[in-house]
Amino acid sequence: MTQTHGSDVAVLRAAVDAARSAPSVHNTQPWRWRIGDGDTLHLYADRSRQLEVADPDGRLLTESCGAALHHARLALAAAGWQFDVRRVPDGAPPDLLATIALTGRGEPDEHARTLLDAASSRRTDRRPVLDRPVDQAALDTVVAAVVAEDTHLYLLRDDQVVDLTAAMSSADRTEVGEEAHRAEIARWVGGERRDATGIPASAVPERPPQTQVPTRYFGPPGTLAIDERHDVAAVYGILHGDNDTPRAWLRAGEALSAGWLTATAQGLAMLPISAVVEVLPVRMALRRMLSGLGYPYLAIRIGYPDPDAPAPPATPRLAVDDILEG
């Protein structure tokens, strides 16, 4: 294949459309796509939507792009397309993170379809989860989905959750104490988000929820109603891997997407906790908690959402034409 045909452009455009629903840090959606020759789709980091204070190295930006890459892969696989993925190619132009090349047609992947369907109902829900133990088989399925993306998920013991709580409190104190960080939060959080990025007030709790690991500073309270529930049955874990490189961060984002959508498909809620990797001393403390298992990429919480409470509204998304070239 050396030339992109109109039908293939439509296929690649549909993959970008599916990737729009991927989660990203503070809903920054820090990606852009370009359709190239030879039936290829290129994923770039968009530095204009990088958190310069909280994420100066682009770690969370790259993880966010990894989640978008996974969503695009799901869309292609569910439609029966075969493809190759090259991640952070050697000698690539600046900010090129991955290239997807169509290689032919096959049978639609029903598992990919299941996860893609889950993407429409996936939410970042910061409310406490139910006081109901998480089914071990469901947890094992989530862990397997993460491992399939060359990343690992270490589930914390109760005493380690206490350590994670201390780490989160330390990270939050550090960031809240910085005027530049508070200003960055104010830019990306709150209001109605008329520019289709950021976290609207409707997705921010109206008061601090009673969770084992405290939520991060988001500025003024939002409008998301919460009750008096405490998430005593929640499971906490750390996404980690063997390397601390852009390619590893990209894979971590793909793993987060795979694990999150797998959890959603099983009626579970997953919440990423990024503040603990934004502050270097806290990130190093997490690495010590892993006892030599590798580098931490994110912490996460898993539990059952309240089926009687309406899900938080979907956060806004940029249009395809805002993020796609060619």
Side-chain angles (χ1 to χ4, degrees):
M1 296 183 183
T2 59
Q3 183 177 4
T4 304
H5 302 287
S7 59
D8 295 337
V9 169
V11 168
L12 297 174
R13 185 179 178 89
V16 172
D17 189 24
R20 293 169 57 241
S21 63
S24 58
V25 59
H26 294 354
N27 193 32
T28 48
Q29 303 166 64
W31 48 68
R32 58 188 176 87
W33 300 85
R34 183 173 65 81
I35 294 176
D37 294 335
D39 302 332
T40 56
L41 183 62
H42 306 287
L43 170 62
Y44 291 83
D46 187 336
R47 301 291 174 180
S48 70
R49 292 196 288 277
Q50 180 173 345
L51 301 178
E52 296 180 355
V53 179
D55 187 33
D57 297 330
R59 176 187 308 269
L60 297 174
L61 174 149
T62 306
E63 292 176 14
S64 299
C65 289
L69 174 60
H70 183 255
H71 276 53
R73 287 171 46 204
L74 289 178
L76 292 172
W81 284 93
Q82 297 174 339
F83 52 89
D84 290 330
V85 181
R86 294 181 59 204
R87 298 172 178 86
V88 195
D90 292 336
D95 295 330
L96 176 61
L97 295 178
T99 294
I100 302 174
L102 300 180
T103 59
R105 295 303 304 269
E107 293 296 321
D109 186 325
E110 292 305 319
H111 179 63
R113 169 53 58 189
T114 297
L115 295 188
L116 193 62
D117 289 344
S120 63
S121 58
R122 182 207 59 81
R123 297 287 186 273
T124 303
D125 193 342
R126 300 175 177 85
R127 297 172 296 186
V129 294
L130 292 180
D131 184 12
R132 171 188 168 190
V134 180
D135 180 74
Q136 186 60 50
L139 276 178
D140 291 344
T141 303
V142 172
V143 172
V146 169
V147 171
E149 299 297 332
D150 294 334
T151 306
H152 302 284
L153 175 56
Y154 178 73
L155 301 180
L156 301 181
R157 304 186 307 266
D158 289 346
D159 61 307
Q160 293 174 316
V161 174
V162 174
D163 293 337
L164 181 61
T165 296
M168 181 64 191
S169 297
S170 176
D172 204 45
R173 284 195 304 272
T174 298
E175 294 188 329
V176 172
E178 299 175 354
E179 182 178 353
H181 176 77
R182 297 195 304 273
E184 188 169 71
I185 288 290
R187 175 188 174 192
W188 290 103
V189 181
E192 297 182 4
R193 313 308 308 174
R194 298 180 186 279
D195 61 353
T197 60
I199 304 173
S202 58
V204 178
E206 61 187 2
R207 54 189 169 81
Q210 299 188 67
T211 52
Q212 296 181 69
V213 177
T215 56
R216 69 181 304 153
Y217 169 78
F218 275 130
T223 60
L224 180 64
I226 61 172
D227 56 24
E228 298 299 326
R229 182 179 297 112
H230 195 292
D231 72 342
V232 294
V235 174
Y236 288 85
I238 299 175
L239 283 173
H240 66 95
D242 298 331
N243 299 292
D244 196 27
T245 61
R247 188 182 189 282
W249 303 341
L250 190 73
R251 292 300 273 151
E254 293 176 88
L256 174 68
S257 173
W260 200 341
L261 294 179
T262 298
T264 301
Q266 298 182 94
L268 289 166
M270 180 183 285
L271 178 68
I273 303 171
S274 63
V276 290
V277 298
E278 294 170 8
V279 178
L280 179 59
V282 178
R283 188 164 73 245
M284 296 308 295
L286 286 192
R287 190 178 180 196
R288 290 191 293 272
M289 190 186 304
L290 291 171
S291 301
L293 291 177
Y295 297 90
Y297 303 135
L298 278 176
I300 57 97
R301 182 194 74 183
I302 301 173
Y304 291 102
D306 184 354
D308 297 325
T315 50
R317 288 294 188 273
L318 294 164
V320 171
D321 289 338
D322 293 330
I323 58 174
L324 176 62
E325 303 172 5

